Amino acid sequence: MACFEDLAKRGFPYPNRVLMTFIGGSKMYLGDLSTGDTDYYGVFVEPLDKIIGLDKFEHFVTSTNKSNETKNEKDDNDTALYGLRRWAELASKGNPTVLSFLFAPTTFKHDLWSEFTNKP
């Protein structure tokens, strides 16, 4: 991920709680790299008040696409971050999107992420 400060500027309230990030989408699968946007995915640890309280914060999605068009431009960045509990729930159900988090090369990895992937 470019930087965690950028996430905070884009409205993500927990940039210091990110466990891992990676580049997904067409760039991960070696699609059309010349025209595709960059898709970032990641996992964060929710604060305790979100875990045990009534208010949830299960995921965060944002895009730098400022146009009204649905198609992204080359320099656009899309970000999807999942809370650890939501990620684990989807992974336990075999969701292919979140299972890819276990195998994708990371752009950022906290030491704790190795506990989930069994990879140093």
Side-chain angles (χ1 to χ4, degrees):
M1 182 143 297
C3 70
F4 295 119
E5 294 81 26
D6 185 49
L7 278 177
K9 288 177 187 173
R10 290 168 56 195
F12 182 63
Y14 313 116
N16 296 329
R17 302 181 72 90
V18 175
L19 286 178
M20 66 83 75
T21 60
F22 70 95
I23 295 175
S26 61
K27 292 194 176 171
M28 181 172 139
Y29 297 110
L30 302 177
D32 186 0
L33 301 178
S34 63
T35 60
D37 64 330
T38 303
D39 299 306
Y40 292 99
Y41 294 91
V43 177
F44 66 94
V45 177
E46 307 95 313
L48 187 59
D49 65 320
K50 300 296 182 193
I51 294 172
I52 63 172
L54 297 176
D55 187 25
K56 296 180 182 179
F57 194 88
E58 294 181 336
H59 67 279
F60 174 80
V61 178
T62 186
S63 176
T64 60
N65 183 347
K66 301 284 189 231
S67 71
N68 291 330
E69 298 179 25
T70 57
K71 186 173 175 85
N72 283 331
E73 300 293 326
K74 178 182 171 208
D75 294 328
D76 287 335
N77 293 325
D78 296 337
T79 303
L81 301 174
Y82 291 84
L84 181 59
R85 288 172 37 128
R86 180 67 175 148
W87 175 84
E89 176 188 3
L90 292 170
S92 71
K93 293 177 180 178
N95 180 294
T97 298
V98 299
L99 288 177
S100 68
F101 287 41
L102 297 170
F103 306 102
T106 57
T107 55
F108 168 80
K109 179 173 69 169
H110 189 283
D111 291 341
L112 289 174
W113 185 247
S114 297
E115 299 290 324
F116 298 96
T117 62
N118 204 16
K119 293 189 303 190

